[in-house]
Amino acid sequence: MIPPLGSHGTRGELMQIVKAVVAGVLARLVAGDLLGLESAFLAPWTALLTVHATVYRSLTRGSRVVGATVLGVLVSYLVVELAGYSALALGVAMLVGMLAGLLRPIRNEGSTVATTALFVITAGQAEQAPMLVDRLSATGIGVAAGLVVNALLLAPLNDLSARRQIDSVCRRLGTLITKMADELPAREDVDAQGWIQQSRETDAALGRARELVRHTREAGFANPRRMPEDSGPSDYEALLLRLEEGIAQTRAIARTIDRADGEHTGWSEQFCRRWLHALAALGDQLDHPREQAPSQRPELESLVSDLSSTDLSRDHWLAYGSLIDSTLHISDVVDDITGPRRVSV
């Protein structure tokens, strides 16, 4: 299935493809046409490996690629000196290259070492010691081209993607809370386990948002497009922590209802009416954030005060207390995140 071309993620992937091609062509022009290097083929190869999702990753990946490419050149030289141009030499070079990928400095770059050795050996240049500087120069040009193109040609920020994912988590949590408030008045066949499962799915969406925030932090490093006034990942981290608390407390409410095992049909009408009203208001605030929306904490505290002077069933007051306590936590979370979030898609 082809992803929609209008989506932000697809546009980002297409831009990365364009930048990789531009970097490869630029590296080839500089190494081959401008400087006339004999090993110019290494420049576009290295450029393609260097262009990554962020400038930060291009920089770190570029340093590993340089090390891996240099090692690949040296491995090809030594193997050909010992075994000449043969299938055995090619196999040994690839084996050593892949094993080198286990070393910490160039971890996961074993294929780069092996492929570079393969290129050099098949090009028939492995035994030419004076060509070493030429090859290393081509490698450096490729890395430089990848870094320059990735930094200057619409360097990715992914700031909007992170904010949209956080907003999506807020809406999902709000929808779940609203659903709970709507289904509880029926008091029969309440699917508390279904609510718990939905809270876990919301947790998974929160994990995806956390990954995007991490990516945004990387994207901001050495990025010329980043503005000083841009909200940073630290702001998003605070929202994620509060959302994590809100999801946990929502799951706690679902578990309390599940443990009641139908006994909630005998709960006080005064408690249910006021508590469910506050719960529904919190869900609506998350699903449809509004400026200066009233906090539900005063209403919940008033409910606690009123219930404290009421003769409640001993079988139910622990459940009331647990539900109100979790809802108070959710209210604090909603108050914290609906103000600064202000993200609409």
Side-chain angles (χ1 to χ4, degrees):
M1 181 178 179
I2 301 176
L5 296 180
S7 71
H8 184 75
T10 302
R11 291 198 303 269
E13 291 177 0
L14 290 176
M15 178 53 65
Q16 285 302 113
I17 293 173
V18 171
K19 288 195 290 187
V21 173
V22 171
V25 172
L26 177 62
R28 177 61 180 81
L29 290 174
V30 173
D33 297 352
L34 184 61
L35 299 179
L37 299 179
E38 292 292 334
S39 300
F41 65 90
L42 287 175
W45 158 251
T46 311
L48 287 174
L49 293 176
T50 302
V51 174
H52 214 278
T54 65
V55 178
Y56 170 79
R57 290 192 187 184
S58 290
L59 187 60
T60 55
R61 179 75 186 276
S63 63
R64 291 199 300 270
V65 166
V66 168
T69 304
V70 170
L71 184 57
V73 171
L74 294 176
V75 167
S76 65
Y77 174 78
L78 293 174
V79 169
V80 170
E81 283 292 315
L82 295 174
Y85 289 102
S86 64
L88 175 62
L90 195 61
V92 170
M94 290 190 292
L95 175 62
V96 173
M98 296 302 293
L99 291 175
L102 301 176
L103 301 176
R104 183 177 299 275
I106 55 172
R107 185 173 295 278
N108 300 325
E109 294 294 341
S111 59
T112 304
V113 180
T115 308
T116 302
L118 173 65
F119 282 172
V120 174
I121 292 175
T122 54
Q125 299 174 338
E127 85 287 6
Q128 302 175 28
M131 291 290 294
L132 182 59
V133 174
D134 184 278
R135 298 170 198 138
L136 298 182
S137 298
T139 300
I141 291 170
V143 171
L147 288 173
V148 169
V149 170
N150 206 30
L152 299 184
L153 187 60
L154 292 178
L157 279 174
N158 287 328
D159 180 79
L160 182 58
S161 295
R163 285 188 292 164
R164 282 178 171 171
Q165 183 64 22
I166 291 173
D167 189 61
S168 174
V169 175
C170 288
R171 290 198 304 270
R172 291 184 65 151
L173 180 58
T175 300
L176 174 57
I177 293 174
T178 301
K179 180 180 181 181
M180 293 166 64
D182 289 344
E183 292 180 357
L184 267 169
R187 304 193 184 188
E188 294 180 3
D189 300 325
V190 171
D191 186 15
Q193 283 296 322
W195 299 340
I196 293 172
Q197 179 58 35
Q198 288 182 53
S199 73
R200 294 194 179 108
E201 294 170 359
T202 307
D203 249 337
L206 184 68
R208 292 191 292 272
R210 186 171 284 111
E211 176 64 20
L212 278 173
V213 168
R214 184 190 64 80
H215 198 272
T216 298
R217 185 188 300 111
E218 287 186 0
F221 176 78
N223 194 321
R225 293 178 60 204
R226 183 178 181 183
M227 298 299 178
E229 63 271 16
D230 286 347
S231 58
S234 59
D235 299 321
Y236 303 151
E237 290 285 2
L239 291 176
L240 292 175
L241 287 174
R242 298 306 284 146
L243 279 170
E244 184 177 22
E245 173 70 12
I247 295 170
Q249 294 298 336
T250 301
R251 188 181 300 126
I253 291 176
R255 284 174 172 162
T256 299
I257 301 297
D258 190 47
R259 284 195 299 268
D261 194 25
E263 294 180 3
H264 60 282
T265 55
W267 286 357
S268 163
E269 285 294 333
Q270 178 189 9
F271 165 77
C272 288
R273 176 175 51 81
R274 294 176 61 181
W275 172 65
L276 289 174
H277 179 271
L279 193 66
L282 291 172
D284 184 65
Q285 275 183 257
L286 283 171
D287 208 3
H288 307 94
R290 300 179 301 277
E291 292 188 13
Q292 299 179 344
S295 172
Q296 295 303 309
R297 175 169 271 278
E299 171 60 23
L300 291 167
E301 291 177 342
S302 174
L303 176 59
V304 172
S305 177
D306 292 345
L307 290 179
S308 64
S309 58
T310 304
D311 185 18
L312 298 175
S313 167
R314 180 176 298 178
D315 296 332
H316 296 155
W317 72 269
L318 283 176
Y320 297 162
S322 176
L323 293 172
I324 292 176
D325 182 65
S326 294
T327 311
L328 279 169
H329 283 293
I330 295 174
S331 177
D332 291 341
V333 168
V334 171
D335 292 344
D336 286 344
I337 68 177
T338 53
R341 181 161 58 100
R342 305 283 180 244
V343 179
S344 58
V345 181

